[in-house]
Amino acid sequence: MESIFEIAKLINRGGGRAIVVGGVVRDRLLGLDSKDYDFEIYNLTLEKLQFILEKLGRVQTIGKSFGVLRVKGYDIDFSLPRRDSKTGSGHRGFTIEVDPTLTFEQASRRRDITINSMGWDPLTDEILDPHGGQQDLADKILRATDPTCFSEDPLRGLRVAQFAARFEMPPTKELIELCSKLDLSQLPAERLFQEFRKLLLKGVKPSLGLQFLRESNQIRFFPELSALIGVEQNPKWHPEGDVWTHTLMSLDAAAQLRTGEPFEDEVLMFGVLCHDFGKPMTTREIDGALRCHGH
């Protein structure tokens, strides 16, 4: 935290304003520990920002075309405000326009949901919240920051699922409708995996995330999961209902067994998610009872 204040002072002396953005602002308001600090820098060109950051160490410019810099030894992204315009299909079909003169309200419109669209000025302790994120945290709802921009990245549908699971917050009807129109088939498997991983490893109730995928019809992009819906089970052993319901209940129970060791938790949660994938193909009525031999 001391480094955050010192960096903000350094940038301020250079004529810029350093705003902490992203999930850390949300987590601070929720009283949660978070170390994922990222800065959005206003009123400076990329060249001037790079000059200032060189006082901290060697500047890495791997994200320079997106207006993003890093400094060796600091796990922090330094980005300039920008506009993203959808110009093609897929997760790379964007035109990015870096503009340090944008206001925080303008720049934050490109973010997914309101609770992720707040900023924090470390020097003044001001929370920048032009889209009502604090109220939505209080009301415990997930709402799109700007419905006209939300659908630009299809991955946001899966991000909403993991936020629903992590914070036990239901999406608004408008957000469900927006997500129902997204095409997840455009996305590479690695990006889908990372959001599923967060849902399963960080979700307080993973079932809420999967139930949202069903409500928004995004479940259609995961046929192994959608196949579980409506597959009946022997009520003697499974009075809770079909395989879908059983899987959701199992995931919530398994979440209580996580230890915090990433690999072990990953094996546990993905194992539970997938443990009954064989039942839709093997369930039969045998001698008057439902059986799923070999599932």
Side-chain angles (χ1 to χ4, degrees):
M1 184 61 70
E2 183 177 349
S3 295
I4 294 299
F5 285 109
E6 291 305 315
I7 291 170
K9 290 177 183 177
L10 178 67
I11 291 171
N12 181 262
R13 288 196 295 269
R17 187 185 188 192
I19 304 297
V20 175
V21 295
V24 68
V25 184
R26 173 201 67 219
D27 290 347
R28 280 172 56 87
L29 291 171
L30 290 173
L32 301 175
D33 185 38
S34 180
K35 299 177 182 179
D36 186 21
Y37 283 84
D38 290 324
F39 276 116
E40 199 161 68
I41 311 299
Y42 290 79
N43 306 323
L44 292 178
T45 64
L46 197 63
E47 291 72 23
K48 182 65 182 294
L49 174 60
Q50 182 172 344
F51 175 78
I52 293 171
L53 293 179
E54 285 172 349
K55 298 176 183 178
L56 299 174
R58 183 165 64 86
V59 176
Q60 301 169 317
T61 58
I62 53 175
K64 193 172 181 179
S65 60
F66 300 98
V68 181
L69 302 174
R70 290 180 72 87
V71 177
K72 187 175 176 60
Y74 292 83
D75 188 20
I76 299 172
D77 283 347
F78 297 90
S79 63
L80 266 59
R82 71 190 202 205
R83 296 183 183 92
D84 295 348
S85 301
K86 190 70 170 170
T87 56
S89 62
H91 66 290
R92 302 189 183 200
F94 289 94
T95 296
I96 295 171
E97 179 188 355
V98 175
D99 184 353
T101 68
L102 288 175
T103 66
F104 182 81
E105 179 180 3
Q106 292 171 324
S108 58
R109 285 188 177 279
R110 69 179 179 83
R111 299 188 179 274
D112 50 12
I113 54 179
T114 59
I115 64 171
N116 295 336
S117 302
M118 296 178 284
W120 171 55
D121 187 331
L123 301 184
T124 64
D125 201 31
E126 178 187 3
I127 297 294
L128 307 180
D129 183 21
H131 309 293
Q134 292 181 91
Q135 187 61 53
D136 288 344
L137 277 180
D139 294 339
K140 295 184 71 69
I141 61 169
L142 302 178
R143 183 168 58 86
T145 301
D146 184 343
T148 63
C149 301
F150 180 85
S151 301
E152 290 179 345
D153 185 355
L155 188 68
R156 289 175 169 179
L158 202 49
R159 281 174 58 81
V160 171
Q162 61 111 335
F163 289 130
R166 286 171 61 185
F167 302 118
E168 299 182 86
M169 296 181 182
T172 63
K173 291 182 178 179
E174 179 187 45
L175 186 52
I176 293 173
E177 179 66 21
L178 287 169
C179 290
S180 72
K181 298 175 181 177
L182 299 177
D183 183 2
L184 303 189
S185 67
Q186 301 179 27
L187 299 168
E190 305 84 63
R191 294 191 78 197
L192 297 175
F193 169 75
Q194 288 303 328
E195 294 304 321
F196 253 103
R197 187 178 185 276
K198 292 175 186 177
L199 189 161
L200 295 177
L201 270 61
K202 296 183 177 183
V204 177
K205 290 192 69 175
S207 62
L208 295 178
L210 293 183
Q211 193 59 41
F212 167 72
L213 292 180
R214 182 178 179 181
E215 291 173 357
S216 61
N217 199 31
Q218 295 179 95
I219 198 75
R220 69 189 188 277
F221 298 106
F222 306 100
E224 297 87 352
L225 290 173
S226 63
L228 305 179
I229 298 170
V231 178
E232 296 182 6
Q233 303 185 104
N234 191 324
K236 178 180 179 180
W237 310 113
H238 293 286
E240 71 275 10
D242 66 3
V243 179
W244 169 258
T245 301
H246 168 73
T247 298
L248 267 56
M249 292 177 66
S250 298
L251 284 170
D252 286 347
Q256 303 303 312
L257 303 176
R258 294 179 308 213
T259 64
E261 202 292 312
F263 178 76
E264 295 293 336
D265 288 350
E266 191 172 307
V267 171
L268 168 68
M269 297 304 293
F270 275 100
V272 172
L273 177 70
C274 303
H275 82 279
D276 271 345
F277 278 5
K279 281 188 175 178
M281 294 176 284
T282 59
T283 298
R284 303 287 186 274
E285 184 174 329
I286 302 173
D287 299 329
L290 288 173
R291 310 282 187 184
C292 48
H293 292 158
H295 76 278

